[in-house]
Amino acid sequence: SRSGARETIAMSAVVESKRRVSYFYDAEIGNYHYGQGHPMKPHRVRMTHNLVVNYGLYRQMEVFRPKPVSKDQMTRFHSDDYINFLRVINPDNMSEYFKHLQRFNVGEDCPVFDGLFEFCQLYTSGSIGGAVRLNKEQSDIVINWAGGLHHAKKSEASGFCYINDCVLAILELLKHHQRVLYIDIDIHHGDGVEEAFYTTNRVMTASFHKFGEYFPGTGDVQDVGANEGKNYAINFPLHDGMDDDSFKSIFRPVIGKIMETFSPGAVVLQCGADSLSGDRLGCFNLSLRGHADCVEFVKTFNVPTLVLGGGGYTLRNVPRCWTYETAVLLGVDIKDALPYNDYFEYYGPDYRLHMPVSNMENLNTKEYLENVKVQLFDILKQVEPVPGVQIQTGSSMQTPADLELPDKDDESQNPDERNMDTEKKEHPAEFYPAETGDKMDVS
């Protein structure tokens, strides 16, 4: 009936208006540098924040500087040896750690640079801190654009990633949620996250990525998980030229079916921007609107959601993407004409938010996409409605032997009682220049 439809619309409006969005950012993140010529540039996170501020989006969110995570929090997933190595290695002592560099895959794609461990702490802190806020029901959506480094393994750096903040955030969420869904729209397969949860049915991973002679080389449609986790790894392998219409035609049905079948208590959404048209390392052809449509769709399920960054290697495009997706998460329309900001010259010659896509050929035929979609639906039909085995999250839950992790925590024997609610809200001086001309201390 019409009255029923009006009530549904009204309820949606209420849900929209009450959506509490938090945003984690530390101004130090832009000071770290992987090295000359390296495609990964943490500066893009600072550029994103500056655009978010100049669009006025920060006024509609709670903005936090995350509390630095401890070594013990990192070893909930990573090995002690690996974390200890990251803590001590620096450009001056590299020659003393030649075997360790090889063992932990550090040196080329994942270089040693000044402040490496502090950089890892910064991006990881926002993801874990965000998960804590979701667990405490203090926020409905939490954003950490510095996070999303999905390739890191338990004892190995990989693909520009050292600490897997995605895995650590999911472990935090599992303390309060029976099931957590991880969604990855980076052009590269989310292999580190999939591998970490490959044998559990409490975490489902869903990755949409380029496959075939492309890093990291994993993520075939037939890779579905193992043991208790069989059918809980969902992979949609794609070819070059993926465009908005094609992506929407697969993402919405697959994620819709996963939400219906798996019914997660929380979602972690990795929004790698290297799937955009024109990315330095990517080969898809998505527009900002096509990329953000995934964010918009996940948001409609009203499930507690942690939104992370990830890849993205064309410096002028990444801030555009993540600023626009911040606006989408807030339910706010922003102008196409970019506001003046500290990095305005990067966005020339058009100085607009939205960019045209290229005319590259889409090698993903409708028949191919439909065939993979049917295969994934068949896999999802075999998913059990009730989860079984428990895994280690850093709390007192029982765990299978192969997932056993240290019990230690940073401040107390019971991690569930640890006070993680000490993130600092950003001081207004972060956004407005002080009248005296002196930068105010917000530490």
Side-chain angles (χ1 to χ4, degrees):
S1 69
R2 287 183 181 177
S3 60
R6 278 198 299 270
E7 284 177 12
T8 302
I9 292 168
M11 282 299 293
S12 298
V14 168
V15 169
E16 182 71 44
S17 66
K18 288 185 177 179
R19 200 72 61 85
R20 300 162 300 164
V21 181
S22 295
Y23 171 97
F24 280 80
Y25 174 74
D26 192 306
E28 292 296 314
I29 196 76
N31 294 336
Y32 297 94
H33 188 55
Y34 275 60
Q36 189 171 5
H38 198 289
M40 176 62 114
K41 301 187 186 301
H43 181 60
R44 68 208 175 124
V45 182
R46 177 180 282 168
M47 290 176 63
T48 301
H49 179 70
N50 201 260
L51 209 49
V52 164
V53 167
N54 281 284
Y55 265 116
L57 296 173
Y58 71 92
R59 295 190 186 99
Q60 303 184 49
M61 305 184 286
E62 288 191 287
V63 180
F64 294 99
R65 176 177 295 139
K67 174 191 172 185
V69 294
S70 68
K71 164 185 173 287
D72 289 338
Q73 287 173 283
M74 293 179 176
T75 55
R76 288 180 187 172
F77 171 58
H78 294 286
S79 69
D80 288 285
D81 286 352
Y82 178 54
I83 296 301
N84 287 332
F85 166 75
L86 291 178
R87 290 174 73 195
V88 300
I89 195 72
N90 63 60
D92 297 326
N93 66 11
M94 281 175 63
S95 59
E96 302 168 29
Y97 290 94
F98 180 71
K99 287 185 178 178
H100 290 81
L101 290 166
Q102 289 185 311
R103 175 184 168 192
F104 298 125
N105 194 36
V106 172
E108 293 187 11
D109 278 359
C110 304
V112 176
F113 55 86
D114 284 323
L116 171 57
F117 186 70
E118 289 74 18
F119 169 70
C120 294
Q121 274 186 307
L122 280 190
Y123 75 73
T124 302
S125 298
S127 300
I128 294 179
V132 170
R133 284 194 68 80
L134 293 175
N135 282 347
K136 292 185 173 182
E137 299 182 6
Q138 294 168 329
S139 304
D140 303 307
I141 296 169
V142 179
I143 301 167
N144 177 32
W145 293 128
L149 277 69
H150 58 169
H151 294 306
K153 309 297 196 300
K154 180 176 181 177
S155 299
E156 187 178 306
S158 177
F160 316 157
C161 307
Y162 304 87
I163 299 295
N164 200 316
D165 62 292
C166 310
V167 170
L168 291 169
I170 291 168
L171 288 172
E172 188 69 40
L173 290 168
L174 285 169
K175 291 180 182 180
H176 289 258
H177 299 283
Q178 189 63 36
R179 290 182 160 196
V180 175
L181 170 64
Y182 173 76
I183 304 171
D184 193 314
I185 59 172
D186 193 292
I187 196 170
H188 301 97
H189 176 232
D191 59 334
V193 186
E194 178 182 279
E195 183 180 301
F197 299 110
Y198 206 63
T199 59
T200 177
N201 58 9
R202 290 191 60 206
V203 178
M204 181 173 282
T205 57
S207 182
F208 301 78
H209 50 269
K210 156 82 172 164
F211 183 74
E213 296 185 7
Y214 199 71
F215 182 87
T218 50
D220 190 283
V221 67
Q222 294 175 351
D223 297 335
V224 298
N227 303 332
E228 294 292 332
K230 187 177 181 183
N231 304 318
Y232 288 84
I234 302 298
N235 286 298
F236 208 123
L238 299 164
H239 307 308
D240 290 10
M242 196 66 183
D243 59 27
D244 291 0
D245 289 342
S246 295
F247 211 94
K248 187 173 183 175
S249 75
I250 61 167
F251 185 86
R252 285 185 171 240
V254 171
I255 294 302
K257 180 61 72 174
I258 287 173
M259 296 300 283
E260 175 190 325
T261 307
F262 185 64
S263 191
V267 172
V268 175
L269 174 59
Q270 197 267 20
C271 298
D274 46 7
S275 42
L276 289 174
S277 180
D279 187 79
R280 178 177 167 184
L281 299 185
C283 51
F284 282 1
N285 200 22
L286 296 181
S287 72
L288 257 61
R289 289 187 178 91
H291 197 271
D293 184 74
C294 302
V295 178
E296 180 72 64
F297 185 64
V298 171
K299 182 185 162 193
T300 63
F301 292 95
N302 299 326
V303 174
T305 303
L306 177 64
V307 181
L308 306 174
Y313 307 102
T314 299
L315 201 54
R316 64 185 178 274
N317 291 349
V318 178
R320 284 174 156 121
C321 178
W322 291 344
T323 300
Y324 181 60
E325 288 173 350
T326 301
V328 166
L329 290 163
L330 289 167
V332 172
D333 290 326
I334 54 176
K335 292 179 180 177
D336 189 34
L338 290 172
Y340 187 75
N341 62 86
D342 292 350
Y343 308 101
F344 197 61
E345 68 277 8
Y346 282 75
Y347 304 108
D350 54 348
Y351 305 102
R352 297 199 166 270
L353 182 66
H354 294 279
M355 317 154 297
V357 295
S358 77
N359 60 356
M360 72 185 296
E361 182 184 0
N362 184 359
L363 300 181
N364 300 275
T365 64
K366 288 185 178 179
E367 293 75 21
Y368 170 75
L369 296 175
E370 192 61 34
N371 178 46
V372 175
K373 196 161 59 177
V374 168
Q375 289 183 68
L376 293 181
F377 282 178
D378 287 343
I379 292 165
L380 287 167
K381 284 178 185 173
Q382 300 171 60
V383 169
E384 296 177 12
V386 179
V389 70
Q390 302 226 322
I391 67 169
Q392 178 76 7
T393 65
S395 64
S396 57
M397 292 179 169
Q398 291 187 346
T399 174
D402 62 340
L403 282 171
E404 198 72 57
L405 295 174
D407 294 327
K408 290 182 288 184
D409 203 271
D410 58 336
E411 292 167 8
S412 70
Q413 289 302 308
N414 184 355
D416 287 326
E417 295 175 4
R418 190 185 70 255
N419 179 20
M420 276 290 285
D421 197 29
T422 56
E423 305 94 359
K424 304 169 189 168
K425 273 198 188 181
E426 285 289 9
H427 193 283
E430 179 71 12
F431 310 115
Y432 301 111
E435 291 180 2
T436 61
D438 297 323
K439 185 169 181 183
M440 295 180 68
D441 182 11
V442 293
S443 61

